PDB file of all heavy atoms in Angstrom:
ATOM      1  N   TYR A  41      -1.393   1.662   9.371  1.00  0.00           N
ATOM      2  CA  TYR A  41      -0.151   1.079   9.070  1.00  0.00           C
ATOM      3  C   TYR A  41      -0.351  -0.347   8.730  1.00  0.00           C
ATOM      4  O   TYR A  41      -0.322  -1.267   9.475  1.00  0.00           O
ATOM      5  CB  TYR A  41       0.662   1.140  10.335  1.00  0.00           C
ATOM      6  CG  TYR A  41       2.164   0.925  10.080  1.00  0.00           C
ATOM      7  CD1 TYR A  41       3.024   1.994   9.936  1.00  0.00           C
ATOM      8  CD2 TYR A  41       2.686  -0.370  10.106  1.00  0.00           C
ATOM      9  CE1 TYR A  41       4.461   1.838   9.763  1.00  0.00           C
ATOM     10  CE2 TYR A  41       4.094  -0.602   9.980  1.00  0.00           C
ATOM     11  CZ  TYR A  41       4.927   0.405   9.619  1.00  0.00           C
ATOM     12  OH  TYR A  41       6.306   0.276   9.446  1.00  0.00           O
ATOM     13  N   ILE A  42      -0.460  -0.447   7.334  1.00  0.00           N
ATOM     14  CA  ILE A  42      -0.737  -1.816   6.834  1.00  0.00           C
ATOM     15  C   ILE A  42       0.597  -2.303   6.157  1.00  0.00           C
ATOM     16  O   ILE A  42       1.045  -1.574   5.378  1.00  0.00           O
ATOM     17  CB  ILE A  42      -1.785  -1.718   5.838  1.00  0.00           C
ATOM     18  CG1 ILE A  42      -3.096  -1.112   6.347  1.00  0.00           C
ATOM     19  CG2 ILE A  42      -2.293  -3.170   5.260  1.00  0.00           C
ATOM     20  CD1 ILE A  42      -4.238  -0.732   5.207  1.00  0.00           C
ATOM     21  N   THR A  43       1.014  -3.369   6.502  1.00  0.00           N
ATOM     22  CA  THR A  43       2.136  -4.089   5.896  1.00  0.00           C
ATOM     23  C   THR A  43       1.794  -5.084   4.844  1.00  0.00           C
ATOM     24  O   THR A  43       0.748  -5.533   4.768  1.00  0.00           O
ATOM     25  CB  THR A  43       3.138  -4.668   6.922  1.00  0.00           C
ATOM     26  OG1 THR A  43       2.354  -5.790   7.544  1.00  0.00           O
ATOM     27  CG2 THR A  43       3.450  -3.705   7.961  1.00  0.00           C
ATOM     28  N   TYR A  44       2.791  -5.471   4.044  1.00  0.00           N
ATOM     29  CA  TYR A  44       2.609  -6.595   3.062  1.00  0.00           C
ATOM     30  C   TYR A  44       2.104  -7.857   3.921  1.00  0.00           C
ATOM     31  O   TYR A  44       1.270  -8.564   3.545  1.00  0.00           O
ATOM     32  CB  TYR A  44       3.891  -7.072   2.345  1.00  0.00           C
ATOM     33  CG  TYR A  44       4.026  -6.150   1.137  1.00  0.00           C
ATOM     34  CD1 TYR A  44       5.169  -5.278   1.033  1.00  0.00           C
ATOM     35  CD2 TYR A  44       3.209  -6.456   0.012  1.00  0.00           C
ATOM     36  CE1 TYR A  44       5.306  -4.592  -0.123  1.00  0.00           C
ATOM     37  CE2 TYR A  44       3.380  -5.651  -1.147  1.00  0.00           C
ATOM     38  CZ  TYR A  44       4.392  -4.730  -1.279  1.00  0.00           C
ATOM     39  OH  TYR A  44       4.608  -4.073  -2.427  1.00  0.00           O
ATOM     40  N   GLY A  45       2.845  -7.938   5.062  1.00  0.00           N
ATOM     41  CA  GLY A  45       2.521  -9.225   5.820  1.00  0.00           C
ATOM     42  C   GLY A  45       1.073  -9.305   6.402  1.00  0.00           C
ATOM     43  O   GLY A  45       0.485 -10.220   6.422  1.00  0.00           O
ATOM     44  N   SER A  46       0.532  -8.068   6.829  1.00  0.00           N
ATOM     45  CA  SER A  46      -0.859  -8.026   7.270  1.00  0.00           C
ATOM     46  C   SER A  46      -1.749  -8.268   6.128  1.00  0.00           C
ATOM     47  O   SER A  46      -2.772  -8.932   6.352  1.00  0.00           O
ATOM     48  CB  SER A  46      -1.084  -6.753   8.060  1.00  0.00           C
ATOM     49  OG  SER A  46      -0.944  -5.553   7.220  1.00  0.00           O
ATOM     50  N   LEU A  47      -1.507  -7.734   4.954  1.00  0.00           N
ATOM     51  CA  LEU A  47      -2.338  -8.007   3.840  1.00  0.00           C
ATOM     52  C   LEU A  47      -2.294  -9.530   3.406  1.00  0.00           C
ATOM     53  O   LEU A  47      -3.270 -10.090   3.014  1.00  0.00           O
ATOM     54  CB  LEU A  47      -1.988  -7.193   2.676  1.00  0.00           C
ATOM     55  CG  LEU A  47      -2.357  -5.677   2.779  1.00  0.00           C
ATOM     56  CD1 LEU A  47      -1.715  -4.844   1.638  1.00  0.00           C
ATOM     57  CD2 LEU A  47      -3.794  -5.454   2.926  1.00  0.00           C
ATOM     58  N   ARG A  48      -1.123 -10.040   3.541  1.00  0.00           N
ATOM     59  CA  ARG A  48      -0.899 -11.484   3.217  1.00  0.00           C
ATOM     60  C   ARG A  48      -1.794 -12.287   4.076  1.00  0.00           C
ATOM     61  O   ARG A  48      -2.435 -13.360   3.631  1.00  0.00           O
ATOM     62  CB  ARG A  48       0.500 -11.863   3.202  1.00  0.00           C
ATOM     63  CG  ARG A  48       0.884 -13.263   2.688  1.00  0.00           C
ATOM     64  CD  ARG A  48       0.826 -13.203   1.189  1.00  0.00           C
ATOM     65  NE  ARG A  48       1.314 -14.432   0.720  1.00  0.00           N
ATOM     66  CZ  ARG A  48       0.892 -14.991  -0.397  1.00  0.00           C
ATOM     67  NH1 ARG A  48      -0.035 -14.460  -1.139  1.00  0.00           N
ATOM     68  NH2 ARG A  48       1.392 -16.212  -0.731  1.00  0.00           N
ATOM     69  N   LYS A  49      -1.934 -11.883   5.369  1.00  0.00           N
ATOM     70  CA  LYS A  49      -2.744 -12.678   6.328  1.00  0.00           C
ATOM     71  C   LYS A  49      -4.147 -12.566   5.992  1.00  0.00           C
ATOM     72  O   LYS A  49      -4.932 -13.509   6.028  1.00  0.00           O
ATOM     73  CB  LYS A  49      -2.430 -12.152   7.777  1.00  0.00           C
ATOM     74  CG  LYS A  49      -1.200 -12.676   8.261  1.00  0.00           C
ATOM     75  CD  LYS A  49      -0.963 -12.209   9.744  1.00  0.00           C
ATOM     76  CE  LYS A  49       0.344 -12.468  10.277  1.00  0.00           C
ATOM     77  NZ  LYS A  49       0.619 -11.920  11.578  1.00  0.00           N
ATOM     78  N   VAL A  50      -4.524 -11.450   5.461  1.00  0.00           N
ATOM     79  CA  VAL A  50      -6.039 -11.197   5.274  1.00  0.00           C
ATOM     80  C   VAL A  50      -6.299 -11.889   3.964  1.00  0.00           C
ATOM     81  O   VAL A  50      -7.319 -12.433   3.929  1.00  0.00           O
ATOM     82  CB  VAL A  50      -6.209  -9.597   4.830  1.00  0.00           C
ATOM     83  CG1 VAL A  50      -7.546  -9.385   4.209  1.00  0.00           C
ATOM     84  CG2 VAL A  50      -6.147  -8.837   6.256  1.00  0.00           C
ATOM     85  N   VAL A  51      -5.478 -11.984   2.983  1.00  0.00           N
ATOM     86  CA  VAL A  51      -5.752 -12.651   1.624  1.00  0.00           C
ATOM     87  C   VAL A  51      -5.632 -14.199   1.826  1.00  0.00           C
ATOM     88  O   VAL A  51      -6.358 -14.980   1.249  1.00  0.00           O
ATOM     89  CB  VAL A  51      -4.764 -12.086   0.611  1.00  0.00           C
ATOM     90  CG1 VAL A  51      -4.778 -13.005  -0.672  1.00  0.00           C
ATOM     91  CG2 VAL A  51      -5.085 -10.731   0.267  1.00  0.00           C
ATOM     92  N   ILE A  57       2.513 -15.506  -4.495  1.00  0.00           N
ATOM     93  CA  ILE A  57       3.186 -14.239  -4.210  1.00  0.00           C
ATOM     94  C   ILE A  57       3.212 -13.292  -5.322  1.00  0.00           C
ATOM     95  O   ILE A  57       2.899 -12.139  -5.240  1.00  0.00           O
ATOM     96  CB  ILE A  57       4.499 -14.316  -3.453  1.00  0.00           C
ATOM     97  CG1 ILE A  57       4.996 -13.024  -2.950  1.00  0.00           C
ATOM     98  CG2 ILE A  57       5.547 -14.813  -4.528  1.00  0.00           C
ATOM     99  CD1 ILE A  57       4.198 -12.677  -1.633  1.00  0.00           C
ATOM    100  N   PHE A  60      -0.335 -12.057  -5.738  1.00  0.00           N
ATOM    101  CA  PHE A  60      -0.542 -11.115  -4.717  1.00  0.00           C
ATOM    102  C   PHE A  60       0.035  -9.767  -4.814  1.00  0.00           C
ATOM    103  O   PHE A  60      -0.453  -8.677  -4.757  1.00  0.00           O
ATOM    104  CB  PHE A  60      -0.100 -11.737  -3.380  1.00  0.00           C
ATOM    105  CG  PHE A  60       0.048 -10.837  -2.175  1.00  0.00           C
ATOM    106  CD1 PHE A  60      -1.259 -10.636  -1.536  1.00  0.00           C
ATOM    107  CD2 PHE A  60       1.147 -10.385  -1.689  1.00  0.00           C
ATOM    108  CE1 PHE A  60      -1.214  -9.766  -0.387  1.00  0.00           C
ATOM    109  CE2 PHE A  60       1.015  -9.645  -0.461  1.00  0.00           C
ATOM    110  CZ  PHE A  60      -0.119  -9.217   0.118  1.00  0.00           C
ATOM    111  N   LEU A  61       1.366  -9.663  -5.330  1.00  0.00           N
ATOM    112  CA  LEU A  61       2.060  -8.491  -5.490  1.00  0.00           C
ATOM    113  C   LEU A  61       1.504  -7.660  -6.664  1.00  0.00           C
ATOM    114  O   LEU A  61       1.374  -6.423  -6.580  1.00  0.00           O
ATOM    115  CB  LEU A  61       3.608  -8.770  -5.829  1.00  0.00           C
ATOM    116  CG  LEU A  61       4.278  -9.301  -4.451  1.00  0.00           C
ATOM    117  CD1 LEU A  61       5.694  -9.592  -4.888  1.00  0.00           C
ATOM    118  CD2 LEU A  61       4.343  -8.321  -3.299  1.00  0.00           C
ATOM    119  N   LYS A  62       1.000  -8.320  -7.743  1.00  0.00           N
ATOM    120  CA  LYS A  62       0.331  -7.627  -8.849  1.00  0.00           C
ATOM    121  C   LYS A  62      -0.897  -6.885  -8.285  1.00  0.00           C
ATOM    122  O   LYS A  62      -1.222  -5.912  -8.793  1.00  0.00           O
ATOM    123  CB  LYS A  62       0.119  -8.551  -9.969  1.00  0.00           C
ATOM    124  CG  LYS A  62       1.264  -9.016 -10.853  1.00  0.00           C
ATOM    125  CD  LYS A  62       0.929  -9.987 -11.870  1.00  0.00           C
ATOM    126  CE  LYS A  62       2.181 -10.390 -12.652  1.00  0.00           C
ATOM    127  NZ  LYS A  62       1.804 -11.396 -13.654  1.00  0.00           N
ATOM    128  N   ALA A  63      -1.630  -7.590  -7.556  1.00  0.00           N
ATOM    129  CA  ALA A  63      -2.883  -7.080  -7.064  1.00  0.00           C
ATOM    130  C   ALA A  63      -2.540  -5.880  -6.071  1.00  0.00           C
ATOM    131  O   ALA A  63      -3.336  -4.832  -6.247  1.00  0.00           O
ATOM    132  CB  ALA A  63      -3.635  -8.015  -6.208  1.00  0.00           C
ATOM    133  N   ILE A  64      -1.568  -5.865  -5.368  1.00  0.00           N
ATOM    134  CA  ILE A  64      -1.296  -4.776  -4.445  1.00  0.00           C
ATOM    135  C   ILE A  64      -0.868  -3.663  -5.274  1.00  0.00           C
ATOM    136  O   ILE A  64      -1.267  -2.470  -4.967  1.00  0.00           O
ATOM    137  CB  ILE A  64      -0.173  -5.121  -3.518  1.00  0.00           C
ATOM    138  CG1 ILE A  64      -0.513  -6.325  -2.501  1.00  0.00           C
ATOM    139  CG2 ILE A  64       0.385  -4.020  -2.561  1.00  0.00           C
ATOM    140  CD1 ILE A  64      -1.759  -5.989  -1.620  1.00  0.00           C
ATOM    141  N   GLN A  65      -0.001  -3.895  -6.303  1.00  0.00           N
ATOM    142  CA  GLN A  65       0.412  -2.754  -7.261  1.00  0.00           C
ATOM    143  C   GLN A  65      -0.830  -2.232  -7.913  1.00  0.00           C
ATOM    144  O   GLN A  65      -0.863  -0.965  -7.903  1.00  0.00           O
ATOM    145  CB  GLN A  65       1.409  -3.322  -8.190  1.00  0.00           C
ATOM    146  CG  GLN A  65       2.041  -2.360  -9.158  1.00  0.00           C
ATOM    147  CD  GLN A  65       2.983  -2.848 -10.088  1.00  0.00           C
ATOM    148  OE1 GLN A  65       3.156  -4.094 -10.302  1.00  0.00           O
ATOM    149  NE2 GLN A  65       3.766  -1.940 -10.657  1.00  0.00           N
ATOM    150  N   CYS A  68      -2.631   0.220  -5.616  1.00  0.00           N
ATOM    151  CA  CYS A  68      -1.917   1.452  -5.312  1.00  0.00           C
ATOM    152  C   CYS A  68      -1.925   2.346  -6.521  1.00  0.00           C
ATOM    153  O   CYS A  68      -1.686   3.528  -6.390  1.00  0.00           O
ATOM    154  CB  CYS A  68      -0.476   1.183  -4.988  1.00  0.00           C
ATOM    155  SG  CYS A  68      -0.277   0.434  -3.325  1.00  0.00           S
ATOM    156  N   LEU A  75      -5.174   1.870  -2.000  1.00  0.00           N
ATOM    157  CA  LEU A  75      -4.081   2.057  -1.030  1.00  0.00           C
ATOM    158  C   LEU A  75      -3.062   3.171  -1.378  1.00  0.00           C
ATOM    159  O   LEU A  75      -2.697   3.329  -2.560  1.00  0.00           O
ATOM    160  CB  LEU A  75      -3.277   0.682  -1.075  1.00  0.00           C
ATOM    161  CG  LEU A  75      -4.108  -0.621  -0.515  1.00  0.00           C
ATOM    162  CD1 LEU A  75      -3.301  -1.812  -0.806  1.00  0.00           C
ATOM    163  CD2 LEU A  75      -4.415  -0.414   0.933  1.00  0.00           C
ATOM    164  N   LEU A  77       0.811   4.222  -0.913  1.00  0.00           N
ATOM    165  CA  LEU A  77       2.073   3.634  -0.592  1.00  0.00           C
ATOM    166  C   LEU A  77       2.848   4.656   0.302  1.00  0.00           C
ATOM    167  O   LEU A  77       3.026   5.814  -0.179  1.00  0.00           O
ATOM    168  CB  LEU A  77       2.959   3.288  -1.911  1.00  0.00           C
ATOM    169  CG  LEU A  77       4.297   2.786  -1.747  1.00  0.00           C
ATOM    170  CD1 LEU A  77       4.297   1.464  -0.992  1.00  0.00           C
ATOM    171  CD2 LEU A  77       4.883   2.652  -3.121  1.00  0.00           C
ATOM    172  N   MET A 122       8.459   0.063   3.890  1.00  0.00           N
ATOM    173  CA  MET A 122       7.303   0.422   3.024  1.00  0.00           C
ATOM    174  C   MET A 122       6.143  -0.083   3.885  1.00  0.00           C
ATOM    175  O   MET A 122       6.018  -1.130   4.417  1.00  0.00           O
ATOM    176  CB  MET A 122       7.335  -0.386   1.772  1.00  0.00           C
ATOM    177  CG  MET A 122       6.340   0.035   0.781  1.00  0.00           C
ATOM    178  SD  MET A 122       6.365  -0.902  -0.777  1.00  0.00           S
ATOM    179  CE  MET A 122       8.030  -1.592  -0.913  1.00  0.00           C
ATOM    180  N   PHE A 123       4.987   0.775   3.709  1.00  0.00           N
ATOM    181  CA  PHE A 123       3.639   0.324   4.377  1.00  0.00           C
ATOM    182  C   PHE A 123       2.541   1.026   3.572  1.00  0.00           C
ATOM    183  O   PHE A 123       2.860   1.699   2.627  1.00  0.00           O
ATOM    184  CB  PHE A 123       3.662   0.687   5.836  1.00  0.00           C
ATOM    185  CG  PHE A 123       3.678   2.133   6.210  1.00  0.00           C
ATOM    186  CD1 PHE A 123       2.535   2.790   6.474  1.00  0.00           C
ATOM    187  CD2 PHE A 123       4.818   2.870   6.287  1.00  0.00           C
ATOM    188  CE1 PHE A 123       2.529   4.103   6.770  1.00  0.00           C
ATOM    189  CE2 PHE A 123       4.962   4.155   6.606  1.00  0.00           C
ATOM    190  CZ  PHE A 123       3.664   4.917   6.849  1.00  0.00           C
ATOM    191  N   PHE A 124       1.398   0.613   3.916  1.00  0.00           N
ATOM    192  CA  PHE A 124       0.265   1.231   3.201  1.00  0.00           C
ATOM    193  C   PHE A 124      -0.778   1.871   4.188  1.00  0.00           C
ATOM    194  O   PHE A 124      -0.768   1.458   5.350  1.00  0.00           O
ATOM    195  CB  PHE A 124      -0.532   0.151   2.430  1.00  0.00           C
ATOM    196  CG  PHE A 124       0.407  -0.674   1.571  1.00  0.00           C
ATOM    197  CD1 PHE A 124       0.962  -1.957   1.911  1.00  0.00           C
ATOM    198  CD2 PHE A 124       0.592  -0.249   0.341  1.00  0.00           C
ATOM    199  CE1 PHE A 124       1.769  -2.584   1.113  1.00  0.00           C
ATOM    200  CE2 PHE A 124       1.505  -0.960  -0.607  1.00  0.00           C
ATOM    201  CZ  PHE A 124       2.038  -2.196  -0.057  1.00  0.00           C
TER     202      PHE A 124
END
Side-chain angles (χ1 to χ4, degrees):
Y41 194 94
I42 305 168
T43 64
Y44 273 114
S46 60
L47 288 176
R48 190 77 173 143
K49 285 180 186 173
V50 167
V51 169
I57 193 72
F60 172 73
L61 293 175
K62 285 180 183 177
I64 299 299
Q65 184 176 14
C68 290
L75 290 171
L77 178 60
M122 183 181 344
F123 66 99
F124 306 95

